[in-house]
Amino acid sequence: MRVIAIDLMGNDLGVKPMVMAAFAFVKKFQDYRLILVGNMEQVEQVTTETHERIDFIDIREEIRTEKTARAGRDGGNSMATAINLVRNGEAEGVLSTGNSGALLSMATLNLKRIIGVKRPAFMPLMPTENEGKKFLLLDAGANLETTSDMLVQWALLGSIFAQVVLKVQNPRIGILNVGTEDEKGLEATKEAHQELKKNNEINYLGFFEARDLLKGNVDVAVVDGYAGNFILKTMEGTALSLLKMIKTSIKTKLRYKIGALLSKGAFKSVRQNLDYRHVGAA
Amino acid sequence: MRVIAIDLMGNDLGVKPMVMAAFAFVKKFQDYRLILVGNMEQVEQVTTETHERIDFIDIREEIRTEKTARAGRDGGNSMATAINLVRNGEAEGVLSTGNSGALLSMATLNLKRIIGVKRPAFMPLMPTENEGKKFLLLDAGANLETTSDMLVQWALLGSIFAQVVLKVQNPRIGILNVGTEDEKGLEATKEAHQELKKNNEINYLGFFEARDLLKGNVDVAVVDGYAGNFILKTMEGTALSLLKMIKTSIKTKLRYKIGALLSKGAFKSVRQNLDYRHVGAA
C-alpha cells in the first residue's frame, strides 16, 4: 500500500477539485491510500462520502505566501502538515495546488534534496503540436540564478522522469538557448552544453530555440529558471490572447460566426490540449 | 531632402522586397532620397525602372555572420558600405534586413551610441489583442548581460520613440518581470524598477508579467535582452504552433472543414496582425 499526502488548501477553485479527484483516484488505484489535509468544514460542503483508503486531517489554516514558508515549518498550516507526513514516514509523496514558492521552500527545508541534486526545479508537462504528445520543461521558475551544474542535473532528472513516469524510451533532451551555435548563450548554458555532449547516459540533442518549443522535437527541455518562467508565461499569454483575437475577429461578420459555430469542436480540442490546468507538474 | 542608406543584401527573400519598397517609398514621400547598396545584377533582374531620387551603389559582397562584422569595418560588403554612408554624412539613417548581430556590432562600432545610452537594444514593434494597436519590446536580444542602467535608459528611449515616432501621448512603460511584487526578479531588474518609480519624465506603471504581454496594457515593455529574446521567440513559436494545431484539428471532421472555410477571413486578419514580418524594428 502506497500513501500520498494531499494538501487541500490554497487552490483557486477551493477544496472541491482535489476532494473529487481523491475519491476518483482511490477507486481507480486499489493499492493507494490518501491522507487529505485541509479544512473539514469545506470538505463536508463538497461531499459527505467516505472511503476506507481516504483519511482526513482537519487543518483550517492555509499558507498564503512564500514569506510564511519558513514559519510554516512548525506545521500550523495544511501544506506544512502534509509535507511533515512525508518527513515522518507516514506518506511517500505530497501533492499540493497551493502557493508554489511556499511548497518549494518548505519541501526543500523539510524533506531535503536527492543526493547529487543541488537545487529543485519546477517541471510542468507541456503540450506540443501533436495532440497527446507532451514534453517536460525544467526549470520553469524555481530558481532565478542557475549554474551549469544545476542544468546538467536537471537534464538527468528530466531524462529519468521521462523514462520512469512517462514511459518514454531513450528520451530526447535539449537545452533551450538564444541560438543554436555552440558559442551562443550565457556561460552556465554553454558549460552545461559541453558537459552534456560528453555524457553517454542521456540522449542529448543540443541547443534548440524557443520558436521550436511546441514542435515536440524533444521530450525534456532544460533551461535556467529565469528564462523558463518567462517562456511558460509567454506561452500561456500568447495562446490565450491569440484565441481571444480569433474570437474578436470572428464576431466581425455573420459568415465568420456561422463558420465558427460549425467548427467549434475543433477549437475545443485545441484549447484542452493547450490548457496547462489539464496537466500536472513536479 | 533627407537621405536614407539601404542595404539590399542578406534578406531571406533576396533583393526584391527592398527594391520594390524603395520605389514605392520615394513615390509616396517626396522629400526623401534613397541610396540602395547591393548587387546590381540582382537588382536588374527585379526591375529596370529608375528614379531621380534613388541612387545605387554596386556592392556584390554580403555580410553573413556576426563574426565578420569587425572585418566589415573596411567596407567590403553592402552592410558596411551602407553604414559608412551615415558615418560620412552622406545619409542620415540606415535600413537593413541582413544579419541583425552584424548590423548591431557594425553600427555600434562605426556610428557610436547616443550620449547617455550605454548599450543599443533591439526594439521590435509587437502586436496586441486589439488589432492595429502595437507596443515596443526592448531589448529583444541585443544584449545577454543587462545592468539596471541599461534598463532605465531603454525605458527612456522607448518612451521617446513611442511619443515621436508612434505618436503615443504619455506612453505607458512597464518592466517585464517574473512577478509583480517589488522583491521579485533579478537585482538589475529590481534596481531599475526603484529608479524608474522616482523618475517623473516617464509614465512608469511598474512590473508586469509575460502572461499579460499581448493585452496591450503598456506601450513600451522593457526587459533584459536574454529574457527578451526568449519572449520574442516563444511568442512566435506559440502562435505558429497554435494555428497549426487548429488546422490539424479542423481536418478531423468535414463539418469543421466547412466551418473553417466560412470563417477563413477571420483567421487571415489575426494571422496578419500577429505576423512580425509586417512590422519593422529599430
Side-chain angles (χ1 to χ4, degrees), chain A residues 25 28 71 91 153-154 181 192-193 265:
Chain A
F25 183 85
K28 200 167 165 189
Q153 290 163 5
W154 296 339
E181 301 89 344
H193 175 62

Side-chain angles (χ1 to χ4, degrees), chain A residues 66-67 127-131 144-145 176-179 183-187 189 208-215 223-227 229-250 252 255-267 269-270 273-274 276, chain B residues 66-67 127-131 144-145 176-179 183-187 189 208-215 223-227 229-250 252 255-267 269-270 273-274 276:
Chain A
E66 244 167 279
K67 283 182 212 153
T128 71
E129 287 176 9
N130 313 310
E131 211 185 321
L144 272 192
E145 313 272 356
L176 273 164
N177 196 10
V178 291
E183 73 278 7
K184 285 270 175 87
L186 302 177
E187 284 311 314
T189 309
F208 75 110
E209 289 202 71
R211 64 162 65 94
D212 298 324
L213 194 62
L214 301 187
K215 287 189 181 160
V223 68
D224 64 281
Y226 180 65
N229 195 263
F230 276 113
I231 289 168
L232 186 72
K233 288 173 184 165
T234 303
M235 256 192 67
E236 185 189 335
T238 306
L240 290 174
S241 290
L242 186 58
L243 292 171
K244 204 168 163 188
M245 283 157 85
I246 291 171
K247 220 172 174 174
T248 309
S249 183
I250 277 166
T252 57
R255 190 163 58 93
Y256 296 167
K257 281 192 220 171
I258 296 167
L261 272 175
L262 286 169
S263 51
K264 206 172 180 180
F267 286 90
S269 98
V270 170
N273 184 27
L274 269 179
Y276 64 99
Chain B
E66 245 167 277
K67 283 182 212 156
T128 72
E129 285 176 11
N130 314 310
E131 211 186 320
L144 271 191
E145 313 273 356
L176 274 164
N177 196 11
V178 291
E183 74 277 8
K184 284 269 175 90
L186 301 178
E187 283 311 315
T189 309
F208 75 110
E209 289 202 71
R211 62 162 66 93
D212 298 323
L213 194 62
L214 301 187
K215 287 190 181 158
V223 67
D224 64 280
Y226 181 65
N229 194 263
F230 275 114
I231 289 167
L232 185 73
K233 288 175 184 164
T234 303
M235 255 192 68
E236 185 190 334
T238 306
L240 290 175
S241 289
L242 186 58
L243 291 172
K244 204 168 162 188
M245 283 157 85
I246 292 172
K247 220 172 176 176
T248 308
S249 183
I250 278 167
T252 57
R255 189 161 61 93
Y256 296 166
K257 281 192 221 171
I258 295 166
L261 272 174
L262 285 168
S263 52
K264 205 172 181 177
F267 286 89
S269 98
V270 170
N273 184 27
L274 270 179
Y276 64 98

Side-chain angles (χ1 to χ4, degrees), chain A residues 49-100:
Chain A
E49 204 183 339
T50 56
H51 193 282
E52 48 169 4
R53 279 183 286 110
I54 291 186
D55 291 323
F56 287 96
I57 299 180
D58 189 11
I59 301 278
R60 305 200 170 190
E61 198 194 319
E62 167 189 334
I63 195 153
R64 289 192 192 276
T65 69
E66 244 167 279
K67 283 182 212 153
T68 55
R70 212 163 273 268
R73 201 172 179 181
D74 304 323
N77 57 66
S78 63
M79 191 187 276
T81 307
I83 288 173
N84 277 332
L85 289 172
V86 180
R87 194 186 192 191
N88 304 334
E90 293 170 66
E92 286 174 76
V94 57
L95 186 67
S96 175
T97 56
N99 183 293
S100 51

Side-chain angles (χ1 to χ4, degrees), chain B residues 166-186:
Chain B
L166 307 180
K167 311 288 178 203
V168 179
Q169 301 234 324
N170 200 25
R172 299 157 303 164
I173 320 292
I175 289 184
L176 274 164
N177 196 11
V178 291
T180 53
E181 300 90 344
D182 278 3
E183 74 277 8
K184 284 269 175 90
L186 301 178

Side-chain angles (χ1 to χ4, degrees), chain B residues 158-168 171:
Chain B
S159 182
I160 295 167
F161 192 94
Q163 285 174 68
V164 177
V165 182
L166 307 180
K167 311 288 178 203
V168 179

